Amino acid sequence: MLNARRLLCPLPVIRTQDKIKQLQPGDRLEVVATDPGVMQDIPAWCRIHGHTVLESREHEGEFIIVLQVGG
Amino acid sequence: MNKQRKAVALISGGLDSMLAAKTVMDQGVHVEGINFFTGFCVEGHTHAIRAKAKAKPKRNNALWVAEQLGIKLHIVDVIDEYKDVLINPKHGYGANMNPCLDCKIFMVNKAKQWIAENGFDFIITGEVIGQRPMSQRRDTMPVIARESGADDLLLRPLCAKYLPPTVPEREGWVDRDKLHDFSGRSRKPQMELVKQYGISDYAQPAGGCCFLTDPNYSAKLVDLWQARDNNREYELDDIMLLKVGRHIRPAANFKLIVAREEGEGRFLEGYRKEYISLFSLSHSGPLVLLDGTPSAEDLHLAAAITARFGQGRNAESVEVTITQKDGSERRLRSSLSPAPTFRRRGIYEPGRVKRQAFVMSAAGDSYAG
Ligand code: SF4
């Protein structure tokens, strides 16, 4: 899980990007953030880099995005 | 077969960098984008903070441009390294606290390092000669190329015809004839290119790409430094907070940050362990953070100001809770008589041009949350 709470965009995207560099294709990553901007920015970033968003939801004021690293 | 060349384009999210990247992509070059996050970028933040803006979430234009172009975008955190650029700009500041020339040199230099590490061949920017008073002048173009160390690996496709041929042109990686000769502040040639490429939507940031070109923001930054005995070091939280709320400095030793609406209030909540905070208990009103080292008397003044920004602004007396960083609380009753004191001392909002008496807290300034 990547804790991106209290970070404002684009920092959650930057942290996601840096974390993914350490992962392998097929791995999953859950990002938890408080900036609603992630609901747009992380999927956009995933689309251009070939990663897949498996799930995105809001839960008690937090935004959770689960993604799968592309090949 | 010729090897496909690779270029990295500095993508700000604006139209020029988009057109520059597209021009080079159209020549068969593999292009990826790079975007630097200094902490002052306009993209993102305030939209995320303010509740009103939430209804219509703001896209990140750099990501959006990359997606339109179908290229990858690498966003690089340069918050720490950028401090030196802002604090000690060799070429000075523009109209406000924007060190545009040093900033450009810094970013092109970072891009130069990036291409070396990632096996790319050259760098593209969307600069246009004569478009910006500080960084995009005929005489500063070579300065950026030279001082960044990129030299003739730096290609400016939108105005290349005015500049000496660079390596990508000399080596035939790109055809110089198909590059452009844009100059000056007119946007006409860009508009023609937009039509030619069939681009239907693009962002046009007014002024600059960061808060440092904003006079109000710059004034708050200078005020922050002055209040710290001209120690210009700063943390990310400092510069983020300058984007939020109304900043009021009743005295040299402390200032107040007053949430203007609900979204800002929620954002400031996150800082209650780092700052003394105040809110009115007896009436609804904004959360207020206090930055500095207030005396007991200052706390009374801060409580009175907090009261004035809430629904109790005309009440006989307002009860205000003051919470220390360690969570310990204390209550103060503020009767609204000290207005003459405020007047005498004056309340200075760094973002405003004139010194103003506290009476400025008329209805329009009150909390909307
Ligand atoms: S406007 Fe800001 S980000 Fe853009 S060049 Fe100037 S200082 Fe740098």
Side-chain angles (χ1 to χ4, degrees), chain B residues 211-232:
Chain B
F211 272 101
L212 296 170
T213 57
D214 180 89
N216 287 343
Y217 187 90
S218 291
K220 286 189 269 186
L221 181 63
V222 171
D223 171 77
L224 178 88
W225 285 340
Q226 280 169 350
R228 295 178 178 177
D229 298 327
N230 288 319
N231 175 358
R232 293 176 148 219

Side-chain angles (χ1 to χ4, degrees), chain B residues 287-308:
Chain B
L287 178 69
V288 176
L289 295 186
L290 187 156
D291 181 18
T293 46
S295 65
E297 191 202 347
D298 292 336
L299 285 180
H300 279 275
L301 179 58
I305 294 173
T306 303
R308 285 279 171 119

Side-chain angles (χ1 to χ4, degrees), chain A residues 6-11 13-15 17-18 21 35-37 40-45 47-49 58 63, chain B residues 37 44-45 48-49 54 57-60 63 66-67 71-75 77 79 236 240 267 270-271 274:
Chain A
R6 281 196 61 198
L7 297 178
L8 294 176
C9 282
L11 282 170
V13 184
I14 297 177
R15 299 287 178 265
Q17 172 189 276
D18 294 347
K21 278 190 196 139
D35 179 351
Q40 284 223 340
D41 291 0
I42 292 184
W45 185 85
R47 285 194 297 274
I48 60 181
H49 287 269
E58 185 177 349
F63 301 91
Chain B
F37 179 62
H45 308 130
I49 298 165
K54 233 201 219 166
K58 178 88 167 55
R59 69 184 182 208
N60 177 307
L63 278 170
E67 199 171 3
I71 62 174
K72 289 187 175 174
L73 180 76
H74 309 276
I75 309 179
D77 170 354
I79 298 165
L236 182 63
M240 286 295 163
F267 181 76
Y271 288 90
E274 283 99 48

Side-chain angles (χ1 to χ4, degrees), chain B residues 82 98-100 103-104 107 208-210 212-213:
Chain B
Y82 193 76
N98 49 314
C100 289
C103 176
K104 273 276 153 63
M107 288 183 182
C209 26
C210 83
L212 296 170
T213 57

Side-chain angles (χ1 to χ4, degrees), chain B residues 167-317:
Chain B
V167 170
E169 294 157 278
R170 294 201 303 266
E171 295 290 327
W173 304 340
V174 296
D175 179 355
R176 182 171 167 95
D177 289 341
K178 292 187 185 143
L179 302 177
H180 305 289
D181 57 355
F182 300 175
S183 75
R185 302 178 81 99
S186 158
R187 307 292 291 162
K188 244 189 172 166
Q190 279 93 327
M191 292 307 126
E192 270 164 34
L193 211 52
V194 161
K195 237 192 263 159
Q196 193 184 315
Y197 286 144
I199 297 170
S200 55
D201 185 11
Y202 53 85
Q204 201 60 278
C209 26
C210 83
F211 272 101
L212 296 170
T213 57
D214 180 89
N216 287 343
Y217 187 90
S218 291
K220 286 189 269 186
L221 181 63
V222 171
D223 171 77
L224 178 88
W225 285 340
Q226 280 169 350
R228 295 178 178 177
D229 298 327
N230 288 319
N231 175 358
R232 293 176 148 219
E233 291 301 322
Y234 60 84
E235 295 303 326
L236 182 63
D237 279 344
D238 294 326
I239 60 176
M240 286 295 163
L241 281 173
L242 296 184
K243 297 177 189 176
V244 186
R246 183 175 292 284
H247 289 238
I248 298 169
R249 180 171 295 287
N253 58 321
F254 77 102
K255 80 165 173 184
L256 300 171
I257 306 172
V258 185
R260 286 173 296 195
E261 42 86 282
E262 216 185 311
E264 290 191 341
R266 265 200 308 273
F267 181 76
L268 295 182
E269 280 281 339
Y271 288 90
R272 293 184 68 185
K273 285 200 177 104
E274 283 99 48
Y275 295 87
I276 298 172
S277 55
L278 301 94
F279 68 91
S280 146
L281 200 65
S282 53
H283 299 75
S284 72
L287 178 69
V288 176
L289 295 186
L290 187 156
D291 181 18
T293 46
S295 65
E297 191 202 347
D298 292 336
L299 285 180
H300 279 275
L301 179 58
I305 294 173
T306 303
R308 285 279 171 119
F309 276 97
Q311 295 301 322
R313 76 185 72 90
N314 297 317
E316 285 279 297
S317 91

